[in-house]
Structure formats: C-alpha cells, structure tokens
C-alpha cells in the first residue's frame, strides 16, 4: 500500500514529487543504477527552514528520512524505499570571499560548482572526509572545513564550528550524515589555479615493478606532489592515442600544485618506460572533472574501500594478480595518497580516524550493462578481500556500499565517541540512511 504523504506539499515551500508525479522515475534515479529505490516522496527543499519543516513532517508522521545531495553514494544512501527523500539540490549557492580566502557552499552543491570535481555532491563527500588530488598539499576536505549550518533531528537549526557545538563539529568531519542535515558549509580556500597533472601509463607486465617503486617513492615526495596508483583500461576517447584504447594498463595519475615542474615530479616521470606520459599544465577544475564524461550517471557500480599504511611484497603480488583481472573496461583500482598534510592531523582531532594510513584504496567495479552486475561485484569483493590482510581494518566510508557490518571498522577508535555524540544529537536515529552509527544509549 502506498505510504501517505498528505500535507507534505503544504508543509514545505519546495516542490514535492510523489509516485504519481510524471517525473517521479527521473527524480528518484540515483547515480548508481544498481540501486533502485522507490521513496514515498522527494521534497526539493528551498532553504534551511524548508529542510527543518521536512524533518519535522517526517518525524511527526513516522516517515523514515534519507538526505540527498549529489546522489552519488555507491550504496544509494541518498534515498530510501517508502520514506521521504530530502533533496538539497536547490541549496546550491556558492559565495567566495577572495580576500578572506573563504567559501560558503550550499549543502546541496555539486563539486563542479566549487571547482573540485564533477557531479559528486559536496555534502556526502565532505561529511565522509573528502579525498582529492591535492590532499597531500592541503589535507582532506574536512581539514578545510571551518563551520557549518545544521538542521538537527528535532528540526532546530544550529551553527557549528570549533567554538560552537564543538562535539558536533568534530563528528561532522568524517562521521557522514549521522548528525543532521548540513545546509551550508564554510571552507578555507587555497589559491591554486593551474596544476601540472596527468597519467603516466605502463604495460600491465610492469605492474609489480611499478607498484614496488611507487610505494617507496610516494611517501618521500614533498606535499605539493601527489599521485595515485591505478589499474585501469585506457578510455576509448581523445586525448588517448587510438592504439591504446581499451588496453588494460597500470599507472600513476600525478598532480603537482603549481606550473613549474619540480625535481620530484621530474623524477616521478622518469621511472621505467611508459606507454604514455600525459602530464600537462591544466586548470585544476578541468583535471578534477577529466573523467566525468566516462562515468556518467546510470552505470552499475560496486565498490569497496580499504585504508592502507604499508604495501609489503606479498600485497604487491595480490595487486598484480587481481588488478589485471578487471572484468569490464570501466572497472578500476585506485590507491589515493592521504599522507602529507592530511597525515599530520591527529587520529582523534576529527572523526576520520585513519590519519596514519598512507593510502585510501578503492576497488571499483563499473559497467553500463546490468548483465555484468555480478561480475563487477565479484571482482571488487575478491580483490578487496585479498588485500584485507594488508589493510588497517576499515575503509573510507565514501568508498563503500550499504555495509552496516563494516561501519565500526570505518571509524576505528573514534566509533565510541561518535556513538555518544549521536546519542546527544539524534537519540532516535532519525538520520539513519547513511553509514549508520547507532546512538550509544
Ligand atoms: C564518480 C565518482 C567520483 C568520486 N570521487 C570522489 C573523490 O574524488 N573523493 C572522495 O572523497 N570521494 C569521491 N567519491 C565518493 C563520494 O564521496 C561518495 O559517493 C559520496 O557519498 C557522494 O556524496 P553525494 O552527496 O553525491 O551522495 P548522496 O548519495 O547524495 O549522499 C551520500 C550520503 O551523505 C549524506 N548527505 C549528503 N549530503 C548531506 C548533507 N548536506 N547533510 C547531511 N547528510 C548529507 C546522505 O544522507 C547520504 O548518507 C566519488 C564518487 C563517484 C561516484
């Protein structure tokens, strides 16, 4: 029987989409087409008061809530069957104060609006931690968060930063959507316009040699240079040369803040005999959205994450076995560097508790064809399972499916404090469609 949302449309100012609305299917679609959820309603809230009204309506009517920003979450945690989706896409205003080097970003913005990357939501990415090409230089996204406006489970609206509601501010920085709906983020900005960036790709038979060199070399680099190791297939499109299209390769995608080539980057590029060296000066937003066209919404995704501190020779052998077995050309494995500035923050300074990891690994099975769903899932699982003995016991919450059994591991030693803060701010677990932290009651 359909869940009633009578009175919702008059409780909020924004548009409300219900199953009978003609664009219901478009409206409920998520980035990951593997997930198919049918909410009772989607409320396109217009401002923080509207978000508060939607939260109150749902709690008063016993409707479960999901909060959607970019809808990119792998596990589809921006939506819910038979519940209310609070869609934040109208809260997408970005204001920059260049003098103060600060930006205020609406809680429903996508990253292309702030010049970081593509269609992923600022909301989910930031609340999970936020890893990017310049993480070694400037830290995680949360390390640049200085304040937020939050709608709490009781519908009240609070400002939080290091001084105001400090426990909430601590928990927001990595704890996901567990504590409230963030309607606005305030970020510290860095004056970077152009980067020297691009992939350096190698034959698959060089994978073990490349990874052995990379694991020793990466941690020695100055913060302004970073590179993620990857197994991938060469995209079948320019600027990649046609003879390499769809060829399985390994490589490192390098990024250096600033245009003048450093000795470190020069040394990175001189390793071995690459098939392709695609490093070039690029505006940072262009580099960040370089792969958007290859990964449009609507593909099937299955991914897992692991935090990694060391890559012993035995782990290199595991990578060399599983990486080349990518089941489809869009499937990929990345080891994102999270040392440098991000690694100098203490494990207990924010909710993100793996500052001693050097890499956040992601094992992403991707394909447009639902017939390949099992193949991409099996590869992602077997590869990440095989790496687990060499990982830290948890993975990045944003590189996960809906995996309730792994949530404790995602937060490690910070889990118990998060559970206490959850009990303080959301004792009834109103915000539970996320990597859910149960309130410590
Ligand atoms: C193509 C692609 C590229 C990616 N690249 C990166 C990357 O470079 N770095 C990285 O760190 N991650 C990356 N990710 C992972 C990404 O961070 C997660 O998928 C994240 O969950 C997406 O956030 P979203 O807002 O789009 O998702 P949604 O599905 O809208 O939301 C995800 C979760 O966050 C909660 N949430 C979202 N916004 C808010 C808010 N304002 N207030 C409260 N709760 C909120 C939701 O309730 C839900 O639980 C990428 C993902 C994809 C698919």
């Amino acid at each position: 029987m359909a869940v009633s949302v009578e009175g919702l449309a008059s409780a909020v100012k924004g548009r409300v989409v219900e199953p009978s609305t003609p664009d219901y299917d478009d409206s409920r679609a998520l980035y990951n087409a593997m997930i198919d959820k049918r909410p009772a309603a989607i409320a396109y809230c217009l401002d923080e008061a509207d978000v508060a009204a939607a939260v109150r309506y749902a709690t008063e009517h016993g409707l479960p809530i999901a909060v959607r920003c970019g809808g990119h979450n792998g596990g589809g945690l921006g939506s819910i069957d038979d519940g209310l989706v609070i869609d934040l896409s109208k809260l997408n205003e970005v204001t920059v104060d260049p003098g103060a080097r600060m930006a205020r970003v609406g809680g429903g913005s996508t990253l292309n609006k702030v010049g970081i990357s593509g269609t992923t939501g600022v909301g989910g990415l930031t609340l999970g931690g936020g890893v990017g090409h310049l993480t070694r230089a400037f830290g995680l996204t949360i390390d640049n968060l200085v304040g937020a406006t939050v709608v709490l489970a009781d519908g009240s609206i609070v400002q939080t930063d290091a001084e105001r509601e400090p426990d909430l501010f601590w928990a927001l920085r990595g704890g996901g959507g567990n504590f409230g709906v963030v309607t606005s983020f305030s970020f510290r900005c860095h004056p970077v316009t152009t980067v020297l960036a691009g992939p350096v790709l190698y034959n698959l038979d060089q994978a073990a040699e490349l990874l052995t060199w990379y694991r020793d070399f990466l941690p020695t680099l100055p913060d302004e240079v970073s590179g993620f190791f990857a197994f991938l297939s060469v995209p079948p499109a320019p600027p990649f040369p046609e003879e390499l299209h769809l060829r399985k390769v390994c490589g490192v995608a390098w990024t250096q803040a600033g245009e003048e080539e450093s000795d470190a980057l020069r040394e990175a590029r001189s390793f071995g005999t690459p098939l392709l060296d695609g490093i070039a000066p690029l505006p940072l937003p262009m580099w960040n959205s370089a792969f958007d066209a290859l990964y449009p919404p609507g593909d099937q995704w299955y991914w897992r994450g692991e935090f990694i501190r060391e890559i012993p020779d035995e782990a290199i052998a595991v990578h060399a076995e599983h990486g080349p077995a990518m089941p489809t050309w869009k499937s990929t494995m990345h080891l994102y560097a999270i040392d440098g500035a991000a690694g100098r923050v203490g494990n207990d300074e924010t909710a993100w508790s793996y500052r001693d990891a050097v890499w956040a690994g992601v094992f992403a099975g991707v394909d447009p064809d639902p017939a390949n769903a099992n193949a991409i899932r099996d590869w992602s699982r077997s590869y990440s399972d095989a790496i687990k003995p060499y990982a830290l016991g948890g993975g990045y919450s944003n590189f996960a499916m809906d995996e309730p059994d792994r949530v404790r591991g995602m937060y490690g030693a910070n889990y118990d404090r998060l559970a206490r803060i959850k009990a303080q701010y959301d004792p009834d677990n109103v915000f539970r469609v996320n990597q859910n932290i149960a309130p410590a009651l």
Side-chain angles (χ1 to χ4, degrees):
M1 202 178 74
V3 176
S4 166
V5 289
E6 201 185 333
L8 176 62
S10 50
V12 297
K13 291 173 288 199
R15 182 165 177 254
V16 172
V17 171
E18 297 179 36
S20 57
T21 314
D23 60 349
Y24 174 73
D25 282 337
D26 287 343
S27 179
R28 71 184 177 85
L30 295 171
Y31 180 83
N32 181 2
M34 199 183 271
I35 316 283
D36 184 27
K37 293 188 180 174
R38 303 187 69 85
I42 300 156
Y44 288 86
C45 294
L46 298 185
D47 53 26
E48 61 201 36
D50 232 11
V51 172
V55 169
R56 275 200 212 96
Y57 177 92
T59 50
E60 280 161 16
H61 292 78
L63 262 188
I65 292 175
V67 177
R68 186 172 73 184
C69 176
H72 260 223
N73 187 267
L77 296 173
S79 188
I80 182 169
D81 281 320
D82 300 322
L84 172 62
V85 172
I86 297 181
D87 181 281
L88 303 176
S89 58
K90 304 289 181 205
L91 280 75
N92 63 357
E93 202 179 336
V94 177
T95 46
V96 178
D97 179 343
R101 291 193 175 160
M102 292 291 298
R104 206 176 147 88
V105 178
S109 301
T110 48
L111 289 170
N112 52 8
K113 285 213 80 179
V114 271
I116 305 173
S117 122
T119 53
T120 303
V122 171
L125 179 131
T126 303
L127 295 170
V131 173
H133 292 304
L134 296 175
T135 292
R136 296 189 85 243
F138 302 127
L140 300 169
T141 308
I142 48 171
D143 299 333
N144 298 285
L145 182 68
V146 295
T149 306
V150 190
V151 176
L152 300 178
D154 62 2
S156 60
I157 300 169
V158 296
Q159 308 293 330
T160 181
D161 52 32
E163 268 83 48
R164 294 173 293 177
E165 315 277 348
D167 280 347
L168 176 63
F169 188 56
W170 180 87
L172 288 183
R173 286 175 292 162
N178 276 284
F179 305 93
V181 186
V182 178
T183 53
S184 168
F185 296 94
S186 294
F187 292 109
R188 189 180 311 116
C189 302
H190 301 275
V192 178
T193 48
T194 306
V195 292
L196 261 185
V200 180
L201 302 178
Y202 300 82
N203 235 330
L204 267 190
D205 63 9
Q206 289 182 266
E209 198 190 335
L210 176 68
L211 187 50
T212 306
W213 165 79
Y214 166 85
R215 76 155 181 216
D216 296 332
F217 181 64
L218 186 277
T220 68
L221 289 171
D223 290 356
E224 64 272 17
V225 181
S226 187
F228 69 85
F229 177 91
F231 285 108
L232 71 156
S233 299
V234 177
F240 296 99
E242 232 176 290
E243 66 273 17
L244 291 183
H245 285 182
L246 296 178
R247 178 157 158 185
K248 285 183 179 180
V249 293
C250 55
V252 182
W254 294 105
T255 304
Q256 180 201 280
E259 271 180 86
E260 190 80 20
E261 187 176 34
S262 63
D263 291 345
L265 185 64
R266 201 169 303 119
E267 191 181 342
R269 299 172 82 168
S270 66
F271 177 79
T273 314
L275 293 168
L276 173 95
D277 177 339
I279 294 179
L282 284 173
L284 179 59
M286 192 181 279
W287 175 224
N288 280 325
S289 52
F291 292 93
D292 284 6
L294 296 170
Y295 290 108
D299 285 347
Q300 309 274 310
W301 282 72
Y302 191 98
W303 62 9
R304 277 197 170 167
E306 294 291 345
F307 286 119
I308 293 161
R309 190 186 300 144
E310 283 162 358
I311 309 177
D313 292 347
E314 305 83 62
I316 288 178
V318 171
H319 282 292
E321 180 193 341
H322 288 264
M326 291 171 286
T328 60
W329 78 264
K330 289 192 179 193
S331 296
T332 188
M333 194 290 298
H334 295 171
L335 296 175
Y336 289 107
I338 52 170
D339 57 338
R344 289 192 291 275
V345 177
N347 270 350
D348 58 358
E349 284 183 55
T350 65
W352 168 291
S353 52
Y354 287 93
R355 299 291 185 160
D356 44 347
V358 178
W359 293 277
V362 62
F363 308 81
V366 187
D367 196 67
D369 187 351
N372 289 327
N374 287 344
I376 62 175
R377 190 196 57 218
D378 292 350
W379 175 75
S380 167
R381 283 186 180 170
S382 64
Y383 193 169
S384 59
D385 282 347
I387 283 299
K388 231 178 264 300
Y390 313 101
L392 290 182
Y396 175 28
S397 63
N398 275 343
F399 293 158
M401 303 303 284
D402 188 358
E403 300 179 67
D405 296 346
R406 296 197 71 204
V407 177
R408 194 170 262 278
M410 288 170 198
Y411 293 107
N414 285 338
Y415 186 89
D416 290 340
R417 181 173 174 197
L418 283 164
R420 288 194 298 275
I421 298 172
K422 175 78 172 174
Q424 185 187 344
Y425 283 94
D426 184 14
D428 299 325
N429 208 0
V430 168
F431 301 113
R432 59 177 173 272
V433 185
N434 40 48
Q435 302 297 354
N436 195 229
I437 295 161
L441 296 176

